[in-house]
Amino acid sequence: MMKTLSKLLLLSFIISGLFCPVFAQVTYETEFKSISSLLQSDLSLAEKKIHELEIQIGDMTSHQKAIFFLVSGHAAVFKGEYNKAVSLLSKAQLLTLDKLLLSKIYGLQVTTYLSTRQYTNSFKAAKNSLSTIDFISDKKIKRETYIRLSGVFNDLNAHQWARKYASEALLIANNKAEIACSAKIYLAVSDLKQNDFQSSYSGFEQSKKYCEKNELYLLATIALKGMGHSKLESKDYINAKELLKEALKGYKEFQYQLELVHTHSLLAKTNYFLNNFSSALKHSSVVVSQQEKPAFYEAKHNAHQTLSKIYHAQGQGKIANAF
């Protein structure tokens, strides 16, 4: 199963326009926007700015504190620190009544709970996010909510609903590249999870071109990995390997831990089928060395299966059975 959480995570990036332009808040809110942009390109610098702002939190208004905890939660999710993210987002939620900001908080909660396989809490957060829509005239929030719901339903294999919400988002994208690119990716994910590999490859390829054209390089990397995954599932292992290697390179630049681990697991499987056992072992080892976190369960399960197959193929049944 292709992990869709990571795609869902990326939609939380779309938080420009989040902050209310109050004169007294300009300095902090400029910094918050800067951090939000840096999360797409330089996680280390984003974290540095977060730490610099943290010592000033006592001087912030409640609204500003809520935004600070939200962007800090984003950083924690990218580092795979999901329990920390849950705590930060809970603090943010308690500090504001602003419907626009609450919608953003609920949206990231959906992602975080999905990453830890807390589906009940994820649905609750999605429901809370939907409840804010009637109070917000901005179509931007509706688009983002539809995208999050598409991610939720894709992860639960409810593909009819996943496609419905991705299509709804695409219909009202209004030339918003982040939304359009994300919706296109989710439609391709739905094809992949329904074993329509030709359609999924085509969908991911078109998404990648669109994302690159609009300089959305992290989303383009997600689409690239989808292309590689589609080739792997259709048994085109040589092309799968090249595409996944390129995706891995892109994820390293963004320090996207969740996707790095999952891509390593796909490369392990690909190299096994190419009889490149040494490479398969190398990629599997990266995956199994990760901490025991719910977000890594699928990747680690796949890596263990690959290791078992390798050792069986090498006549080491006793070791293989350990997996």
Side-chain angles (χ1 to χ4, degrees):
M1 176 189 297
M2 179 175 183
K3 205 144 184 86
T4 62
L5 302 176
S6 53
K7 293 94 178 167
L8 188 61
L9 265 173
L10 295 174
L11 302 181
S12 303
F13 275 142
I14 311 167
I15 59 177
S16 58
L18 169 63
F19 314 107
C20 302
V22 179
F23 178 77
Q25 301 176 355
V26 168
T27 301
Y28 285 130
E29 296 192 358
T30 299
E31 288 299 307
F32 295 148
K33 288 181 179 180
S34 174
I35 292 169
S36 299
S37 297
L38 286 170
L39 286 173
Q40 303 182 58
S41 57
D42 192 334
L43 181 59
S44 296
L45 184 54
E47 287 187 288
K48 180 180 178 181
K49 285 183 171 288
I50 288 171
H51 291 316
E52 291 173 351
L53 283 177
E54 191 171 16
I55 62 176
Q56 304 176 50
I57 197 168
D59 298 325
M60 297 180 190
T61 65
S62 293
H63 183 75
Q64 289 171 331
K65 289 176 183 177
I67 299 171
F68 173 77
F69 287 133
L70 173 59
V71 295
S72 298
H74 268 117
V77 167
F78 267 86
K79 292 180 67 180
E81 298 174 346
Y82 299 110
N83 289 333
K84 179 179 179 180
V86 167
S87 176
L88 289 167
L89 294 172
S90 295
K91 290 179 181 179
Q93 183 179 346
L94 293 173
L95 285 168
T96 184
L97 296 175
D98 181 85
K99 296 294 184 182
L100 179 60
L101 182 53
L102 281 171
S103 179
K104 299 292 182 178
I105 294 168
Y106 294 144
L108 188 54
Q109 284 177 332
V110 170
T111 297
T112 306
Y113 285 129
L114 276 177
S115 298
T116 55
R117 302 192 174 209
Q118 298 182 51
Y119 296 117
T120 300
N121 286 334
S122 182
F123 271 116
K124 181 179 179 181
K127 182 178 179 181
N128 287 337
S129 185
L130 279 171
S131 72
T132 64
I133 288 183
D134 291 339
F135 298 93
I136 300 171
S137 58
D138 189 352
K139 285 187 177 181
K140 178 175 180 290
I141 305 303
K142 294 183 179 180
R143 293 191 292 261
E144 294 172 17
T145 301
Y146 291 148
I147 286 293
R148 294 186 193 110
L149 288 172
S150 179
V152 172
F153 287 118
N154 257 330
D155 200 59
L156 297 176
N157 294 320
H159 304 299
Q160 179 180 354
W161 291 100
R163 297 188 72 87
K164 167 183 167 59
Y165 284 114
S167 298
E168 289 283 353
L170 198 56
L171 283 173
I172 59 173
N174 293 340
N175 296 319
K176 300 298 181 181
E178 300 95 335
I179 292 294
C181 183
S182 300
K184 291 173 184 289
I185 287 174
Y186 277 129
L187 289 169
V189 169
S190 183
D191 287 332
L192 176 64
K193 291 168 76 69
Q194 294 180 90
N195 300 324
D196 187 350
F197 306 129
Q198 184 175 352
S199 293
S200 67
Y201 180 84
S202 177
F204 284 125
E205 184 178 38
Q206 292 175 21
S207 299
K208 178 178 177 292
K209 291 177 180 178
Y210 181 86
C211 295
E212 288 177 335
K213 179 181 178 181
N214 288 279
E215 300 182 350
L216 299 168
Y217 298 116
L218 182 52
L219 286 171
T221 301
I222 288 173
L224 177 62
K225 192 195 81 170
M227 292 167 64
H229 196 167
S230 298
K231 288 296 184 182
L232 168 59
E233 297 299 337
S234 59
K235 301 182 180 181
D236 183 354
Y237 302 123
I238 293 177
N239 284 317
K241 179 181 177 180
E242 294 307 311
L243 290 165
L244 291 170
K245 283 174 61 178
E246 190 65 23
L248 187 68
K249 180 181 177 181
Y251 284 133
K252 285 180 178 177
E253 293 180 5
F254 290 106
Q255 302 178 55
Y256 197 168
Q257 186 65 13
L258 181 65
E259 279 296 294
L260 277 169
V261 172
H262 190 245
T263 306
H264 274 296
S265 75
L266 294 177
L267 276 165
K269 185 176 180 180
T270 302
N271 278 285
Y272 164 76
F273 284 117
L274 288 169
N275 292 319
N276 296 330
F277 292 163
S278 61
S279 292
L281 285 168
K282 181 184 72 174
H283 289 294
S284 295
S285 297
V286 172
V287 179
V288 300
S289 68
Q290 301 300 313
Q291 296 180 19
E292 292 296 330
K293 295 181 178 180
F296 299 147
Y297 285 170
E298 181 183 359
K300 295 186 82 167
H301 173 73
N302 292 338
H304 281 130
Q305 285 188 324
T306 299
L307 286 171
S308 179
K309 291 176 180 178
I310 291 171
Y311 288 122
H312 269 301
Q314 293 178 334
Q316 302 182 62
K318 185 175 291 187
I319 297 176
N321 292 334
F323 296 98

